[in-house]
């Protein structure tokens, strides 16, 4: 199995709280992005004290309460399945703070991390504040919910986005990368992909490769898997009959998403 592919686990970390993913510096090549997924039973609580890292809490499915200091966001989250394709609520929490997530209904929650030194206000990112975009044409169509784009100053480093791709389409395509800190041409941003498929027995293909092919992995990605992208181009192809969802977390030294398309494949953008 590729070392970039992380399979879901089922680790009970406290009563009613299951750790499904924990991608961190120890088990990945990511230095700027950390990523967890937790499943929380109704009434159960997950508490975390952040060190020098900020966190974006995404209510993937179900309803949750989030508490940080005097801030309390009640009954947030908008969907039973990500495939309802409606945006959801998220909460930004800054470094050196302690937050608590309590499930109101059975919930799956993504916790997206990046190093951070400068404290910023805790903030509810409402579903209705997500920027919605349809990108691409022909078999390159995808639907995007921007949770934390680089135009939003809520976070120091984190960028968070959800992408839906219908069967027979490719996304993150034409292949692009953002692994050189040479702004304004390109920014260095690591990335994680949390994938789901509808129906859930589906799979997608994700290739992660560099120009010199020193990294060139093509992975079969199944429901609930995480792919880490420390460097390189990272397109996703979706087989007919299935819909793909992924949640991307990006972070690097500068909070700007400036990507570079693979020159071999950029021509597809110019088709009439
Ligand atoms: O537009 C897309 O296909 C989504 C991608 O841009 C995805 O968010 C990504 O690769 C970010 O670098």
């Amino acid at each position: 199995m590729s070392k970039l592919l992380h399979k879901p686990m089922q680790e009970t970390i406290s009563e009613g709280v299951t750790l499904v993913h924990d991608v961190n510096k120890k088990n990945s090549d990511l230095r700027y992005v950390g990523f967890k997924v937790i499943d929380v039973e109704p009434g159960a609580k997950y508490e975390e004290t952040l060190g020098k890292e900020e966190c974006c809490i995404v209510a993937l499915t179900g309803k949750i309460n989030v508490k940080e200091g005097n801030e309390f966001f009640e009954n947030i989250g908008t969907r039973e399945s990500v495939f309802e394709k409606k945006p959801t609520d998220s909460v930004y929490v800054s470094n050196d703070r302690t937050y608590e997530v309590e499930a109101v209904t059975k919930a799956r929650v993504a916790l997206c991390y990046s190093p951070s030194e400068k404290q910023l206000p805790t903030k509810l990112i409402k579903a209705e504040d997500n920027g919605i975009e349809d990108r691409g044409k022909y078999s390159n169509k995808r639907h995007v919910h921007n949770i934390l784009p680089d135009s939003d100053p809520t976070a120091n480093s984190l960028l968070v986005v959800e992408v839906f791709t219908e069967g027979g389409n490719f996304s993150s395509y034409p292949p692009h990368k953002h692994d050189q800190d040479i702004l304004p041409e390109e920014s260095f941003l690591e990335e994680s992909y949390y994938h789901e498929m509808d129906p859930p027995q589906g799979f997608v293909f994700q290739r992660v490769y560099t120009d010199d092919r020193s990294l060139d992995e093509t992975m079969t990605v199944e429901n609930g898997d995480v792919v880490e992208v420390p460097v390189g181009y990272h397109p996703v192809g979706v087989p007919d009959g299935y819909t793909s969802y992924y949640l991307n977390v990006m972070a690097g030294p500068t909070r700007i998403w400036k990507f570079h398309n693979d020159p071999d494949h950029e021509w597809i953008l110019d088709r009439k």
Side-chain angles (χ1 to χ4, degrees):
M1 192 173 83
S2 168
K3 70 182 180 89
L4 303 180
L5 184 62
H6 298 258
K7 288 284 175 188
M9 49 188 185
Q10 287 291 318
E11 187 187 327
T12 303
I13 50 173
S14 60
E15 204 182 327
V17 182
T18 305
L19 186 62
V20 180
H21 279 288
D22 183 4
V23 178
N24 55 56
K25 286 192 179 69
K26 290 192 184 130
N27 62 9
S28 77
D29 284 337
L30 302 179
R31 295 295 165 264
Y32 288 93
V33 170
F35 184 71
K36 284 184 194 161
V37 173
I38 53 172
D39 282 340
V40 193
E41 294 297 325
K45 292 177 180 171
Y46 172 82
E47 189 187 272
E48 181 169 28
T49 299
L50 297 168
K52 294 288 178 232
E53 54 187 4
E54 57 187 359
C55 182
C56 180
I57 302 159
V58 182
L60 286 172
T61 55
K63 296 246 176 232
I64 57 174
N65 298 327
V66 177
K67 200 158 71 175
E68 187 285 306
N70 295 327
E71 303 284 1
F72 186 53
F73 307 112
E74 209 172 0
N75 223 21
I76 65 169
T78 59
R79 57 199 187 192
E80 291 299 303
S81 157
V82 297
F83 294 104
E84 288 169 37
K85 293 185 194 154
K86 52 183 178 193
T88 191
D89 301 310
S90 305
V91 175
Y92 170 80
V93 181
S94 208
N95 51 283
D96 301 298
R97 300 225 162 104
T98 298
Y99 69 85
E100 180 189 271
V101 173
E102 176 184 17
V104 178
T105 64
K106 190 173 169 48
R108 175 161 281 203
V109 181
L111 304 168
C112 318
Y113 305 88
S114 177
S116 168
E117 295 277 340
K118 191 184 105 201
Q119 287 202 333
L120 291 169
T122 294
K123 189 177 164 192
L124 173 63
I125 303 159
K126 292 189 195 145
E128 56 264 37
D129 294 336
N130 282 208
I132 310 298
E133 268 180 81
D134 283 304
R135 297 182 188 153
K137 58 186 177 187
Y138 302 121
S139 304
N140 184 208
K141 293 195 199 76
R142 60 268 193 216
H143 183 70
V144 176
H145 298 162
N146 287 299
I147 297 174
L148 268 180
D150 60 3
S151 54
D152 175 348
T154 298
N156 283 319
S157 302
L158 279 171
L159 300 168
V160 183
V161 59
E162 295 186 304
V163 180
F164 297 87
T165 313
E166 297 302 330
N169 283 261
F170 274 69
S171 55
S172 294
Y173 189 80
H176 70 252
K177 69 180 183 78
H178 30 74
D179 61 10
Q180 292 190 89
D181 193 5
I182 50 162
L183 283 164
E185 280 75 37
E186 185 177 340
S187 55
F188 178 85
L189 295 171
E190 297 174 347
E191 188 163 8
S192 64
Y193 276 71
Y194 164 73
H195 288 268
E196 291 195 22
M197 288 102 210
D198 181 36
Q201 72 271 28
F203 55 87
V204 302
F205 297 113
Q206 184 159 25
R207 183 180 180 199
V208 180
Y209 67 100
T210 51
D211 285 315
D212 65 3
R213 307 299 193 263
S214 57
L215 176 63
D216 190 357
E217 302 271 347
T218 301
M219 287 157 274
T220 304
V221 181
E222 295 181 299
N223 193 45
D225 290 351
V226 169
V227 172
E228 61 173 278
V229 183
V231 290
Y233 304 99
H234 40 272
V236 175
V238 185
D240 183 32
Y242 293 90
T243 301
S244 142
Y245 162 90
Y246 50 79
L247 176 78
N248 290 142
V249 183
M250 288 182 276
T254 309
R255 191 166 177 266
I256 296 176
W257 182 46
K258 184 71 173 69
F259 58 85
H260 167 83
N261 287 323
D262 185 338
D264 285 348
H265 305 296
E266 198 170 29
W267 64 269
I268 72 139
L269 293 173
D270 300 327
R271 289 169 301 167
K272 293 285 174 260

